[in-house]
Amino acid sequence: MTEPLPSLAVVIPAAGTGKRMLSEVPKQYLTLNGLTVIEQTINKFIELPFVHSIILALSADDTVFSTLSIAHHPKVKTVIGGKERADSVLSGIRFASELDLSWVMVHDAARPCVLERDIIELYHQCVAQQSAGILAVRVKDTMKRAKPDSVSVDHTVPRTDLWHALTPQCSDIKSLETALVSQLQDGLVNSAVTDEASALELNNKRVLLVASSARNIKITEPDDLELAQLFLQSEE
Ligand SMILES: Nc1ccn([C@@H]2O[C@H](COP(=O)(O)OP(=O)(O)OP(=O)(O)O)[C@@H](O)[C@H]2O)c(=O)n1
Ligand SMILES: C[C@](O)(CO)[C@H](O)COP(=O)(O)O
């Protein structure tokens, strides 16, 4: 019989303003198949047996989340996010580090189409290999690097071994907290560290690439909402 997976914390950065979405409200509060985006995302984690706590990093002026029934679920906690995504993540990690847990997953509130089976597989692989890891999708298209500040091709980027990094991104809490703090202190957060794996890589940590369904999109621009609706409807 395989050992049960250790309990973990899930940090969900949800303090963004969704500027690229061009919507009236922050994209995490847009309606998606009858629920808000953030509720759809939380629902992908809330029933998983190894999820101990779900920590939402919210904007200081967020007045919506507390009105949702999910906000009162015993697993759900909230912290105040920060200026950049990494600041919000670190705020959640600091709360998680007080919970006497070893592992954490960080998942964008804007990724409601993640599949539970992919979350479970990611965690199985990280625990089995005692390594950080991320859900990712191999690049399928030919990739071009543009000339600086232009829209003409500079060169083609070889796509062998090229992956799209998605979330959740999973790590032991101590390594991730150390990595994020050191990058914040080095002032790299705003440029080089756009995901947790970037910080871990800069701290010479191994990061597994675990194949994810390509439907695990991040709702970023207006067209993404319709695509997310189709993906969620096909899960019903
Ligand atoms: N200071 C920030 C910025 C982003 N996020 C969260 O990080 C996730 C991924 O970020 P992104 O898609 O860039 O969201 P926004 O920053 O809201 O989008 P935009 O860049 O278009 O404003 C989102 O769930 C967002 O709420 C956060 O918690 N804190
Ligand atoms: C973390 C992430 O979703 C991995 O692809 C991505 O880096 C977030 O980028 P954003 O510009 O903060 O949405």
Side-chain angles (χ1 to χ4, degrees):
M1 190 182 99
T2 53
E3 288 290 305
L5 289 165
S7 293
L8 66 66
V10 179
V11 171
I12 298 184
T17 57
K19 292 183 287 299
R20 291 169 285 179
M21 201 65 199
L22 307 175
S23 55
E24 293 290 304
V25 298
K27 61 189 178 183
Q28 55 269 36
Y29 295 119
L30 292 174
T31 301
L32 190 55
N33 296 11
L35 292 174
T36 59
V37 168
I38 199 167
E39 287 171 297
Q40 296 283 8
T41 299
I42 292 170
N43 285 345
K44 295 298 181 76
F45 292 87
I46 201 105
E47 299 301 331
L48 294 175
F50 51 77
V51 171
H52 173 278
S53 293
I54 301 176
I55 303 155
L56 281 293
L58 302 174
S59 166
D61 54 14
D62 186 315
T63 57
V64 178
F65 189 73
S66 60
T67 67
L68 304 176
S69 56
I70 199 90
H72 310 290
H73 189 288
K75 285 189 179 182
V76 172
K77 321 290 180 195
T78 63
V79 295
I80 300 299
K83 180 173 175 299
E84 300 295 337
R85 180 183 177 281
D87 302 300
S88 299
V89 169
L90 184 56
S91 181
I93 295 288
R94 286 189 161 130
F95 185 101
S97 64
E98 300 299 318
L99 295 176
D100 193 25
L101 299 170
S102 302
W103 289 89
V104 65
M105 278 189 184
V106 181
H107 184 70
D108 296 326
R111 289 186 188 270
C113 302
V114 64
L115 297 181
E116 283 100 329
R117 67 167 181 265
D118 289 344
I119 297 167
I120 295 165
E121 178 60 20
L122 170 66
Y123 196 31
H124 267 293
Q125 291 206 24
C126 289
V127 171
Q129 300 196 46
Q130 289 296 292
S131 168
I134 68 172
L135 286 187
V137 170
R138 282 185 184 279
V139 165
K140 302 182 186 74
D141 305 301
T142 297
M143 304 302 287
K144 305 291 184 185
R145 170 73 63 188
K147 288 185 171 66
D149 305 321
S150 90
V151 283
S152 63
V153 177
D154 182 73
H155 63 275
T156 296
V157 177
R159 67 182 175 194
T160 311
D161 299 325
L162 208 52
W163 295 65
H164 296 279
L166 312 180
T167 68
Q169 304 204 357
C170 182
S171 169
D172 70 282
I173 294 178
K174 282 191 173 58
S175 297
L176 184 51
E177 184 172 19
T178 301
L180 285 172
V181 168
S182 67
Q183 298 319 318
L184 271 165
Q185 281 163 353
D186 294 352
L188 282 180
V189 161
N190 297 349
S191 54
V193 177
T194 54
D195 70 344
E196 290 63 64
S198 307
L200 292 164
E201 295 152 36
L202 289 166
N203 274 42
N204 304 312
K205 292 291 182 185
R206 181 182 179 223
V207 179
L208 297 173
L209 289 160
V210 177
S212 166
S213 162
R215 63 174 57 209
N216 180 12
I217 63 168
K218 180 162 65 71
I219 297 175
T220 305
E221 296 174 345
D223 285 357
D224 300 327
L225 198 66
E226 190 178 346
L227 193 54
Q229 279 166 339
L230 292 172
F231 284 150
L232 288 177
Q233 280 162 9
S234 73
E235 287 180 31
E236 287 163 6

mmCIF file with all atom_site columns, all heavy atoms in Angstrom, residues 161-176:
data_model
loop_
_atom_site.group_PDB
_atom_site.id
_atom_site.type_symbol
_atom_site.label_atom_id
_atom_site.label_alt_id
_atom_site.label_comp_id
_atom_site.label_asym_id
_atom_site.label_entity_id
_atom_site.label_seq_id
_atom_site.pdbx_PDB_ins_code
_atom_site.Cartn_x
_atom_site.Cartn_y
_atom_site.Cartn_z
_atom_site.occupancy
_atom_site.B_iso_or_equiv
_atom_site.pdbx_formal_charge
_atom_site.auth_seq_id
_atom_site.auth_comp_id
_atom_site.auth_asym_id
_atom_site.auth_atom_id
_atom_site.pdbx_PDB_model_num
ATOM 1   N N   . ASP A 1 161 ? 12.949 20.574 -26.121 1.00 0.00 ? 161 ASP A N   1
ATOM 2   C CA  . ASP A 1 161 ? 13.114 20.810 -24.667 1.00 0.00 ? 161 ASP A CA  1
ATOM 3   C C   . ASP A 1 161 ? 12.587 22.166 -24.236 1.00 0.00 ? 161 ASP A C   1
ATOM 4   O O   . ASP A 1 161 ? 13.011 22.723 -23.206 1.00 0.00 ? 161 ASP A O   1
ATOM 5   C CB  . ASP A 1 161 ? 14.590 20.687 -24.241 1.00 0.00 ? 161 ASP A CB  1
ATOM 6   C CG  . ASP A 1 161 ? 15.144 19.300 -24.531 1.00 0.00 ? 161 ASP A CG  1
ATOM 7   O OD1 . ASP A 1 161 ? 14.358 18.328 -24.405 1.00 0.00 ? 161 ASP A OD1 1
ATOM 8   O OD2 . ASP A 1 161 ? 16.318 19.208 -24.913 1.00 0.00 ? 161 ASP A OD2 1
ATOM 9   N N   . LEU A 1 162 ? 11.675 22.789 -25.027 1.00 0.00 ? 162 LEU A N   1
ATOM 10  C CA  . LEU A 1 162 ? 11.080 24.067 -24.635 1.00 0.00 ? 162 LEU A CA  1
ATOM 11  C C   . LEU A 1 162 ? 9.667  23.799 -24.115 1.00 0.00 ? 162 LEU A C   1
ATOM 12  O O   . LEU A 1 162 ? 8.883  23.098 -24.770 1.00 0.00 ? 162 LEU A O   1
ATOM 13  C CB  . LEU A 1 162 ? 11.025 25.002 -25.841 1.00 0.00 ? 162 LEU A CB  1
ATOM 14  C CG  . LEU A 1 162 ? 11.068 26.516 -25.590 1.00 0.00 ? 162 LEU A CG  1
ATOM 15  C CD1 . LEU A 1 162 ? 12.238 26.904 -24.714 1.00 0.00 ? 162 LEU A CD1 1
ATOM 16  C CD2 . LEU A 1 162 ? 11.128 27.264 -26.914 1.00 0.00 ? 162 LEU A CD2 1
ATOM 17  N N   . TRP A 1 163 ? 9.333  24.321 -22.946 1.00 0.00 ? 163 TRP A N   1
ATOM 18  C CA  . TRP A 1 163 ? 8.036  24.079 -22.312 1.00 0.00 ? 163 TRP A CA  1
ATOM 19  C C   . TRP A 1 163 ? 7.402  25.398 -21.908 1.00 0.00 ? 163 TRP A C   1
ATOM 20  O O   . TRP A 1 163 ? 8.111  26.351 -21.565 1.00 0.00 ? 163 TRP A O   1
ATOM 21  C CB  . TRP A 1 163 ? 8.208  23.238 -21.046 1.00 0.00 ? 163 TRP A CB  1
ATOM 22  C CG  . TRP A 1 163 ? 8.707  21.845 -21.222 1.00 0.00 ? 163 TRP A CG  1
ATOM 23  C CD1 . TRP A 1 163 ? 9.917  21.453 -21.683 1.00 0.00 ? 163 TRP A CD1 1
ATOM 24  C CD2 . TRP A 1 163 ? 7.989  20.641 -20.916 1.00 0.00 ? 163 TRP A CD2 1
ATOM 25  N NE1 . TRP A 1 163 ? 10.019 20.078 -21.695 1.00 0.00 ? 163 TRP A NE1 1
ATOM 26  C CE2 . TRP A 1 163 ? 8.841  19.553 -21.225 1.00 0.00 ? 163 TRP A CE2 1
ATOM 27  C CE3 . TRP A 1 163 ? 6.712  20.356 -20.403 1.00 0.00 ? 163 TRP A CE3 1
ATOM 28  C CZ2 . TRP A 1 163 ? 8.458  18.220 -21.034 1.00 0.00 ? 163 TRP A CZ2 1
ATOM 29  C CZ3 . TRP A 1 163 ? 6.334  19.028 -20.201 1.00 0.00 ? 163 TRP A CZ3 1
ATOM 30  C CH2 . TRP A 1 163 ? 7.198  17.977 -20.526 1.00 0.00 ? 163 TRP A CH2 1
ATOM 31  N N   . HIS A 1 164 ? 6.076  25.418 -21.900 1.00 0.00 ? 164 HIS A N   1
ATOM 32  C CA  . HIS A 1 164 ? 5.333  26.513 -21.271 1.00 0.00 ? 164 HIS A CA  1
ATOM 33  C C   . HIS A 1 164 ? 5.197  26.180 -19.782 1.00 0.00 ? 164 HIS A C   1
ATOM 34  O O   . HIS A 1 164 ? 4.671  25.109 -19.435 1.00 0.00 ? 164 HIS A O   1
ATOM 35  C CB  . HIS A 1 164 ? 3.916  26.620 -21.844 1.00 0.00 ? 164 HIS A CB  1
ATOM 36  C CG  . HIS A 1 164 ? 3.849  26.978 -23.299 1.00 0.00 ? 164 HIS A CG  1
ATOM 37  N ND1 . HIS A 1 164 ? 3.963  28.267 -23.762 1.00 0.00 ? 164 HIS A ND1 1
ATOM 38  C CD2 . HIS A 1 164 ? 3.679  26.204 -24.399 1.00 0.00 ? 164 HIS A CD2 1
ATOM 39  C CE1 . HIS A 1 164 ? 3.850  28.286 -25.077 1.00 0.00 ? 164 HIS A CE1 1
ATOM 40  N NE2 . HIS A 1 164 ? 3.685  27.045 -25.485 1.00 0.00 ? 164 HIS A NE2 1
ATOM 41  N N   . ALA A 1 165 ? 5.649  27.080 -18.911 1.00 0.00 ? 165 ALA A N   1
ATOM 42  C CA  . ALA A 1 165 ? 5.467  26.872 -17.467 1.00 0.00 ? 165 ALA A CA  1
ATOM 43  C C   . ALA A 1 165 ? 4.050  27.289 -17.086 1.00 0.00 ? 165 ALA A C   1
ATOM 44  O O   . ALA A 1 165 ? 3.596  28.384 -17.440 1.00 0.00 ? 165 ALA A O   1
ATOM 45  C CB  . ALA A 1 165 ? 6.472  27.708 -16.681 1.00 0.00 ? 165 ALA A CB  1
ATOM 46  N N   . LEU A 1 166 ? 3.350  26.387 -16.395 1.00 0.00 ? 166 LEU A N   1
ATOM 47  C CA  . LEU A 1 166 ? 2.003  26.715 -15.917 1.00 0.00 ? 166 LEU A CA  1
ATOM 48  C C   . LEU A 1 166 ? 2.020  26.721 -14.384 1.00 0.00 ? 166 LEU A C   1
ATOM 49  O O   . LEU A 1 166 ? 3.081  26.837 -13.781 1.00 0.00 ? 166 LEU A O   1
ATOM 50  C CB  . LEU A 1 166 ? 1.005  25.675 -16.441 1.00 0.00 ? 166 LEU A CB  1
ATOM 51  C CG  . LEU A 1 166 ? 1.083  25.334 -17.949 1.00 0.00 ? 166 LEU A CG  1
ATOM 52  C CD1 . LEU A 1 166 ? 0.040  24.292 -18.312 1.00 0.00 ? 166 LEU A CD1 1
ATOM 53  C CD2 . LEU A 1 166 ? 0.937  26.565 -18.804 1.00 0.00 ? 166 LEU A CD2 1
ATOM 54  N N   . THR A 1 167 ? 0.861  26.589 -13.792 1.00 0.00 ? 167 THR A N   1
ATOM 55  C CA  . THR A 1 167 ? 0.777  26.351 -12.340 1.00 0.00 ? 167 THR A CA  1
ATOM 56  C C   . THR A 1 167 ? -0.250 25.244 -12.139 1.00 0.00 ? 167 THR A C   1
ATOM 57  O O   . THR A 1 167 ? -1.045 24.984 -13.057 1.00 0.00 ? 167 THR A O   1
ATOM 58  C CB  . THR A 1 167 ? 0.321  27.617 -11.554 1.00 0.00 ? 167 THR A CB  1
ATOM 59  O OG1 . THR A 1 167 ? -1.033 27.928 -11.852 1.00 0.00 ? 167 THR A OG1 1
ATOM 60  C CG2 . THR A 1 167 ? 1.233  28.804 -11.856 1.00 0.00 ? 167 THR A CG2 1
ATOM 61  N N   . PRO A 1 168 ? -0.278 24.515 -11.000 1.00 0.00 ? 168 PRO A N   1
ATOM 62  C CA  . PRO A 1 168 ? 0.490  24.754 -9.772  1.00 0.00 ? 168 PRO A CA  1
ATOM 63  C C   . PRO A 1 168 ? 1.981  24.535 -9.962  1.00 0.00 ? 168 PRO A C   1
ATOM 64  O O   . PRO A 1 168 ? 2.434  23.809 -10.837 1.00 0.00 ? 168 PRO A O   1
ATOM 65  C CB  . PRO A 1 168 ? -0.066 23.744 -8.771  1.00 0.00 ? 168 PRO A CB  1
ATOM 66  C CG  . PRO A 1 168 ? -1.306 23.198 -9.355  1.00 0.00 ? 168 PRO A CG  1
ATOM 67  C CD  . PRO A 1 168 ? -1.191 23.364 -10.825 1.00 0.00 ? 168 PRO A CD  1
ATOM 68  N N   . GLN A 1 169 ? 2.734  25.245 -9.082  1.00 0.00 ? 169 GLN A N   1
ATOM 69  C CA  . GLN A 1 169 ? 4.166  25.047 -8.927  1.00 0.00 ? 169 GLN A CA  1
ATOM 70  C C   . GLN A 1 169 ? 4.364  24.612 -7.473  1.00 0.00 ? 169 GLN A C   1
ATOM 71  O O   . GLN A 1 169 ? 3.859  25.258 -6.564  1.00 0.00 ? 169 GLN A O   1
ATOM 72  C CB  . GLN A 1 169 ? 4.934  26.333 -9.278  1.00 0.00 ? 169 GLN A CB  1
ATOM 73  C CG  . GLN A 1 169 ? 4.594  26.793 -10.694 1.00 0.00 ? 169 GLN A CG  1
ATOM 74  C CD  . GLN A 1 169 ? 5.636  27.664 -11.355 1.00 0.00 ? 169 GLN A CD  1
ATOM 75  O OE1 . GLN A 1 169 ? 6.660  28.032 -10.764 1.00 0.00 ? 169 GLN A OE1 1
ATOM 76  N NE2 . GLN A 1 169 ? 5.407  27.979 -12.624 1.00 0.00 ? 169 GLN A NE2 1
ATOM 77  N N   . CYS A 1 170 ? 5.050  23.483 -7.303  1.00 0.00 ? 170 CYS A N   1
ATOM 78  C CA  . CYS A 1 170 ? 5.092  22.794 -6.014  1.00 0.00 ? 170 CYS A CA  1
ATOM 79  C C   . CYS A 1 170 ? 6.511  22.759 -5.468  1.00 0.00 ? 170 CYS A C   1
ATOM 80  O O   . CYS A 1 170 ? 7.464  22.563 -6.219  1.00 0.00 ? 170 CYS A O   1
ATOM 81  C CB  . CYS A 1 170 ? 4.559  21.366 -6.218  1.00 0.00 ? 170 CYS A CB  1
ATOM 82  S SG  . CYS A 1 170 ? 4.486  20.375 -4.730  1.00 0.00 ? 170 CYS A SG  1
ATOM 83  N N   . SER A 1 171 ? 6.658  22.973 -4.185  1.00 0.00 ? 171 SER A N   1
ATOM 84  C CA  . SER A 1 171 ? 7.999  22.954 -3.578  1.00 0.00 ? 171 SER A CA  1
ATOM 85  C C   . SER A 1 171 ? 7.866  22.680 -2.093  1.00 0.00 ? 171 SER A C   1
ATOM 86  O O   . SER A 1 171 ? 6.792  22.853 -1.511  1.00 0.00 ? 171 SER A O   1
ATOM 87  C CB  . SER A 1 171 ? 8.678  24.314 -3.776  1.00 0.00 ? 171 SER A CB  1
ATOM 88  O OG  . SER A 1 171 ? 9.875  24.420 -2.997  1.00 0.00 ? 171 SER A OG  1
ATOM 89  N N   . ASP A 1 172 ? 8.969  22.280 -1.457  1.00 0.00 ? 172 ASP A N   1
ATOM 90  C CA  . ASP A 1 172 ? 8.964  22.316 -0.009  1.00 0.00 ? 172 ASP A CA  1
ATOM 91  C C   . ASP A 1 172 ? 8.947  23.791 0.388   1.00 0.00 ? 172 ASP A C   1
ATOM 92  O O   . ASP A 1 172 ? 9.555  24.645 -0.278  1.00 0.00 ? 172 ASP A O   1
ATOM 93  C CB  . ASP A 1 172 ? 10.168 21.573 0.576   1.00 0.00 ? 172 ASP A CB  1
ATOM 94  C CG  . ASP A 1 172 ? 11.477 22.304 0.318   1.00 0.00 ? 172 ASP A CG  1
ATOM 95  O OD1 . ASP A 1 172 ? 11.979 22.201 -0.830  1.00 0.00 ? 172 ASP A OD1 1
ATOM 96  O OD2 . ASP A 1 172 ? 11.936 23.039 1.224   1.00 0.00 ? 172 ASP A OD2 1
ATOM 97  N N   . ILE A 1 173 ? 8.253  24.083 1.463   1.00 0.00 ? 173 ILE A N   1
ATOM 98  C CA  . ILE A 1 173 ? 8.004  25.478 1.830   1.00 0.00 ? 173 ILE A CA  1
ATOM 99  C C   . ILE A 1 173 ? 9.302  26.229 2.126   1.00 0.00 ? 173 ILE A C   1
ATOM 100 O O   . ILE A 1 173 ? 9.504  27.362 1.662   1.00 0.00 ? 173 ILE A O   1
ATOM 101 C CB  . ILE A 1 173 ? 7.047  25.553 3.051   1.00 0.00 ? 173 ILE A CB  1
ATOM 102 C CG1 . ILE A 1 173 ? 5.663  25.021 2.663   1.00 0.00 ? 173 ILE A CG1 1
ATOM 103 C CG2 . ILE A 1 173 ? 6.956  26.972 3.579   1.00 0.00 ? 173 ILE A CG2 1
ATOM 104 C CD1 . ILE A 1 173 ? 4.647  25.007 3.787   1.00 0.00 ? 173 ILE A CD1 1
ATOM 105 N N   . LYS A 1 174 ? 10.203 25.586 2.861   1.00 0.00 ? 174 LYS A N   1
ATOM 106 C CA  . LYS A 1 174 ? 11.438 26.276 3.259   1.00 0.00 ? 174 LYS A CA  1
ATOM 107 C C   . LYS A 1 174 ? 12.252 26.733 2.049   1.00 0.00 ? 174 LYS A C   1
ATOM 108 O O   . LYS A 1 174 ? 12.700 27.880 1.966   1.00 0.00 ? 174 LYS A O   1
ATOM 109 C CB  . LYS A 1 174 ? 12.310 25.370 4.140   1.00 0.00 ? 174 LYS A CB  1
ATOM 110 C CG  . LYS A 1 174 ? 11.840 25.258 5.585   1.00 0.00 ? 174 LYS A CG  1
ATOM 111 C CD  . LYS A 1 174 ? 12.881 24.581 6.466   1.00 0.00 ? 174 LYS A CD  1
ATOM 112 C CE  . LYS A 1 174 ? 12.488 24.612 7.944   1.00 0.00 ? 174 LYS A CE  1
ATOM 113 N NZ  . LYS A 1 174 ? 11.162 23.940 8.168   1.00 0.00 ? 174 LYS A NZ  1
ATOM 114 N N   . SER A 1 175 ? 12.412 25.841 1.056   1.00 0.00 ? 175 SER A N   1
ATOM 115 C CA  . SER A 1 175 ? 13.221 26.203 -0.128  1.00 0.00 ? 175 SER A CA  1
ATOM 116 C C   . SER A 1 175 ? 12.590 27.350 -0.887  1.00 0.00 ? 175 SER A C   1
ATOM 117 O O   . SER A 1 175 ? 13.274 28.273 -1.336  1.00 0.00 ? 175 SER A O   1
ATOM 118 C CB  . SER A 1 175 ? 13.370 24.992 -1.065  1.00 0.00 ? 175 SER A CB  1
ATOM 119 O OG  . SER A 1 175 ? 14.052 23.951 -0.438  1.00 0.00 ? 175 SER A OG  1
ATOM 120 N N   . LEU A 1 176 ? 11.265 27.306 -1.020  1.00 0.00 ? 176 LEU A N   1
ATOM 121 C CA  . LEU A 1 176 ? 10.601 28.358 -1.796  1.00 0.00 ? 176 LEU A CA  1
ATOM 122 C C   . LEU A 1 176 ? 10.642 29.692 -1.057  1.00 0.00 ? 176 LEU A C   1
ATOM 123 O O   . LEU A 1 176 ? 10.931 30.728 -1.654  1.00 0.00 ? 176 LEU A O   1
ATOM 124 C CB  . LEU A 1 176 ? 9.161  27.960 -2.123  1.00 0.00 ? 176 LEU A CB  1
ATOM 125 C CG  . LEU A 1 176 ? 8.383  28.934 -3.004  1.00 0.00 ? 176 LEU A CG  1
ATOM 126 C CD1 . LEU A 1 176 ? 9.154  29.303 -4.262  1.00 0.00 ? 176 LEU A CD1 1
ATOM 127 C CD2 . LEU A 1 176 ? 7.009  28.369 -3.368  1.00 0.00 ? 176 LEU A CD2 1
#
